[in-house]
């Protein structure tokens, strides 16, 4: 079995439109097999049956030949946690691994969770603002699977899912944004209020229930029923463009008023990332944010988005341990983190 | 006339004993000319007369040929302030320049103020703990002058001075110490209490009335009467050795308990000194102190005391402006300071 190693996901390459504010765009579709109980209600045998059916289908699809297949139960806690940190596996699948599995494309842009809340959850993550592209890619793989598997589908409701909030398109679309200027100037609260009024959910870096840290905000649709996929994606895209415009204006205002302080903050962050010997992930995420803002404002030029994205992932607890090739306590991680940060900086600078 | 430029004083070279705790040792003798009113009581003419007499004596002494002579009135405010920051001129002489003058040896280890509170104040500053050596050097130049000038001297009291606290030996001996461990662990207060009970004065970096910043403490004798020069120097030296021992113990205890945190603080300080774009002198002095402690504990090796001493002086407002060759407002200085710090670091690292 292939080991889970620390690797760079496609979204981290820093390409794509609007990368000065949008880190990544994510599309996820939930699907279930007709005639099989939803995972939460299914017996051990029934879940095994779903897995078997999906597995043999996957094996037959030539377009999935280069994907890697992992059984959750074969992975260590650390490997599973690293996949969670990279948003390739949900916390639920990592926790309850009963016949759970992951199928992952080499560039980590496309992944399929098996026996999560739904039988299948197909996900595409692309760099920058690329909702349509991510949807096209998801639709492509979804169609490949749908040719071979009969999905639970209702003429009135659409795709049936374990949780009613996913019924219909089964589509969840989200964008990870870096909004330091709106947060520094406290304009964010008004904006978040407006977004949730139009049915969008706003979360922190680690999804549902997570705080906003490092000025990173995840915005996603809540409604999956009653709109077509294109409408859902178009609506979210439109809102994201408005958020981007507001962040842009807030950044320009900050730059006009506080250029020297922003440059100072960005360069100090780089200095601390390069020289600190002990660092929590919380602090690292904040420093990376300050550095990113400095770069995006043109106040510091020797770095790039790829480096910033890589830093943002490698500082996370499990990824850090994968990189170090050993298990680490929290205080050991706080010592290892600066080592890995320095190595990453040295690779790029 | 030779311009005052930013230059390195001998004490800054980082040589001498105990440089991990003692930055410099300073000896100052106060002398007045017999038959001339003390400066504070003297008329303009009388002060001019003192200056004339001293000046012509200096001109005749071959051992003073390589010294530079400056009239205070010929110096700009900035030049005077830089000399004050380097402890080569007192704030009083810089402020009230009536026939005030300075004679300075090229290495800035020996200086003579003319028409300060006393007619003559001869000062020697050496690196590290070198009280006896500084006294020998001061005594040497004092004897040269005494051969040509008749000092105000009383068989009972000794040398007469404008302020009674200097009468007798006219000797003030002080040591500039770096005591971070005693300050971090709050043992300093008990120590300072004990020192003042035995008649020693404790001050900050900028002398009388100045706060302790950057963990720098100046300890000096208060009593000039009733003890010989050797006794005064021996007493102070003995106390300083006790302080050094206590700081040594406090450092070892800190190192045993908080090695990683101390290394982190030192390296972060270096990172900020290298990368910040805006910095106050207050912050710079603190960072230099943290860096010095890290170096003295062996936690960071790529620097040296010479660099640390140079940094400690060049970050001061007037020295900074001399280095930049222009007058700067406070906020301009906060931008210029990091530039000069970076240049100094680049010279050494």
């Amino acid at each position: 079995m292939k080991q889970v190693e620390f690797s760079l996901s496609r979204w981290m390459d820093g390409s794509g439109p609007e990368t000065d504010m949008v880190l990544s765009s994510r599309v996820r579709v939930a699907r279930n097999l007709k005639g099989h109980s939803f995972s939460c209600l299914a017996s051990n045998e029934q879940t095994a049956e779903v897995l078997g059916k999906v597995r043999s289908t996957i094996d037959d699809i030539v377009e999935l030949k280069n994907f890697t297949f992992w059984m959750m139960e074969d992975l260590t806690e650390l490997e599973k946690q690293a996949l969670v940190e990279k948003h390739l596996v949900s916390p639920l699948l990592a926790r309850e691994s009963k016949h759970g599995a992951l199928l992952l494309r080499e560039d980590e842009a496309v992944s399929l969770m098996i026996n999560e809340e739904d039988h299948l959850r197909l996900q595409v993550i692309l760099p920058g603002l690329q909702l349509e592209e991510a949807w096209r890619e998801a639709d492509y793989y979804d169609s490949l699977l749908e040719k071979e598997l009969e999905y639970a589908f209702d003429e009135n409701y659409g795709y049936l899912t374990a949780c009613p909030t996913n019924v219909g398109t089964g589509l969840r679309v989200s964008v990870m944004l870096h909004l330091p200027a709106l947060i520094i100037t406290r304009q964010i609260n008004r904006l978040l209020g407006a977004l949730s009024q139009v049915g969008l959910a706003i979360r922190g870096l680690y999804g549902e229930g997570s705080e906003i840290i490092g000025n990173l905000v995840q915005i996603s649709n809540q409604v999956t029923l009653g709109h077509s996929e294109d409408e859902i994606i178009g609506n979210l895209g439109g809102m994201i463009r408005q958020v981007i415009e507001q962040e842009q204006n807030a950044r320009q205002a900050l730059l006009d008023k506080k250029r020297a302080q922003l440059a100072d903050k960005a360069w100090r962050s780089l200095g601390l990332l390069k020289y600190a010997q002990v660092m929590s992930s919380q602090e690292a995420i904040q420093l990376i944010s300050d550095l990113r803002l400095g770069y995006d404002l043109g106040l510091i030029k020797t770095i790039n988005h790829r480096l910033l994205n890589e830093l943002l992932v490698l500082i996370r607890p499990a990824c850090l341990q994968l990189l170090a090739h050993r298990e680490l306590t929290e205080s050991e991680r706080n010592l290892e983190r600066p080592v890995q940060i320095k190595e990453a900086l040295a690779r790029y600078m």
Side-chain angles (χ1 to χ4, degrees), chain A:
Chain A
M1 191 197 65
K2 198 179 155 184
Q3 261 199 313
V4 175
E5 293 199 10
F6 181 79
S7 49
L8 301 187
S9 301
R10 163 90 181 280
W11 77 262
M12 289 157 66
D13 74 10
S15 68
E18 314 288 357
T19 44
D20 55 340
M21 291 172 200
V22 182
L23 276 73
S24 61
S25 300
R26 182 152 64 129
V27 160
R28 182 269 284 159
V29 293
R31 300 290 185 253
N32 289 275
L33 305 193
K34 192 170 175 180
H36 293 266
S37 300
F38 290 132
S39 304
C40 52
L41 303 171
S43 68
N44 199 21
E45 274 166 24
Q46 290 172 316
T47 322
E49 207 179 305
V50 167
L51 174 68
K53 206 162 184 175
V54 173
R55 179 93 209 238
S56 71
T57 303
I58 290 169
D59 287 343
D60 289 343
I61 300 177
V62 65
E63 288 86 348
L64 301 179
K65 276 282 173 282
N66 288 327
F67 282 54
T68 305
F69 183 90
W70 281 290
M71 288 302 299
M72 280 300 116
E73 61 193 20
D74 291 337
L75 298 180
T76 64
E77 278 310 311
L78 197 57
E79 289 175 319
K80 284 190 277 189
Q81 207 44 52
L83 291 169
V84 170
E85 288 174 358
K86 293 176 82 181
H87 299 287
L88 297 172
V89 150
S90 67
L92 177 71
L93 190 69
R95 211 165 47 237
E96 298 174 16
S97 305
K98 201 175 59 173
H99 303 300
L102 172 71
L103 185 72
L104 186 62
R105 199 169 77 177
E106 205 183 0
D107 66 356
E108 300 180 356
V110 182
S111 59
L112 180 71
M113 287 192 284
I114 301 159
N115 283 327
E116 208 255 10
E117 186 181 290
D118 295 296
H119 296 150
L120 297 178
R121 288 202 162 184
L122 175 67
Q123 176 184 269
V124 175
I125 311 183
L126 294 181
L129 186 59
Q130 299 198 69
L131 288 173
E132 290 85 355
E133 294 79 356
W135 163 242
R136 264 205 305 277
E137 192 118 36
D139 191 36
Y140 168 76
Y141 286 102
D142 185 38
S143 303
L144 286 179
L145 292 164
E146 197 164 15
K147 263 190 258 171
E148 311 297 328
L149 294 165
E150 195 176 356
Y151 285 163
F153 185 82
D154 178 278
E155 284 301 326
N156 287 319
Y157 291 116
Y159 293 103
L160 301 179
T161 55
C163 178
T165 58
N166 291 313
V167 164
T169 56
L171 183 67
R172 180 85 57 187
V173 190
S174 75
V175 172
M176 184 71 78
L177 291 139
H178 185 233
L179 303 177
L182 289 173
I183 290 172
I184 292 169
T185 60
R186 295 174 193 282
Q187 295 173 61
I188 191 75
N189 294 326
R190 196 163 39 84
L191 180 73
L192 297 189
L195 290 176
S196 62
Q197 278 194 340
V198 297
L200 298 180
I202 297 94
R203 291 161 179 163
L205 180 59
Y206 290 110
E208 213 161 330
S210 72
E211 261 183 292
I212 293 180
I213 51 171
N215 301 315
L216 294 167
V217 174
Q218 202 184 128
I219 301 178
S220 61
N221 70 311
Q222 290 284 69
V223 179
T224 55
L225 187 67
H227 295 278
S228 72
E229 287 86 350
D230 288 340
E231 282 170 348
I232 290 170
I233 284 166
N235 283 340
L236 184 68
M239 293 308 297
I240 296 300
R241 280 179 204 289
Q242 288 183 42
V243 174
I244 288 175
E245 197 185 318
Q246 292 195 32
E247 170 70 15
Q248 189 64 272
N249 293 339
R251 287 187 185 184
Q252 191 56 52
L254 271 183
L255 195 58
D256 293 344
K257 266 191 284 181
K258 301 192 166 182
R259 188 185 187 89
Q261 291 93 317
L262 289 168
D264 184 48
K265 207 169 184 186
W267 282 98
R268 281 173 183 252
S269 299
L270 181 57
L272 291 175
L273 288 167
K274 272 194 165 179
Y275 283 88
Q277 305 290 305
V278 185
M279 191 174 284
S280 69
S281 67
Q282 186 93 4
E283 183 190 7
I285 289 174
Q286 187 56 51
L287 293 174
I288 294 163
S289 170
D290 294 337
L291 186 54
R292 185 183 287 267
L293 179 61
Y295 173 70
D296 288 331
L297 293 176
L299 300 170
I300 187 167
K301 294 183 202 290
T302 51
I303 53 169
N304 57 57
H305 282 131
R306 196 187 181 105
L307 165 62
L308 290 164
N309 291 339
E310 183 172 339
L311 286 176
L312 198 57
V313 175
L314 72 80
I315 51 125
R316 298 181 198 177
C319 287
L320 195 66
Q321 294 173 73
L322 277 195
L323 266 171
H325 297 292
R326 59 203 165 96
E327 286 191 33
L328 301 168
T329 63
E330 188 182 343
S331 62
E332 288 169 339
R333 289 199 299 274
N334 290 344
L335 289 168
E336 180 67 19
R337 189 169 287 111
V339 173
Q340 296 296 341
I341 290 172
K342 272 187 258 301
E343 283 186 19
L345 289 169
R347 281 197 290 281
Y348 286 90
M349 295 185 73

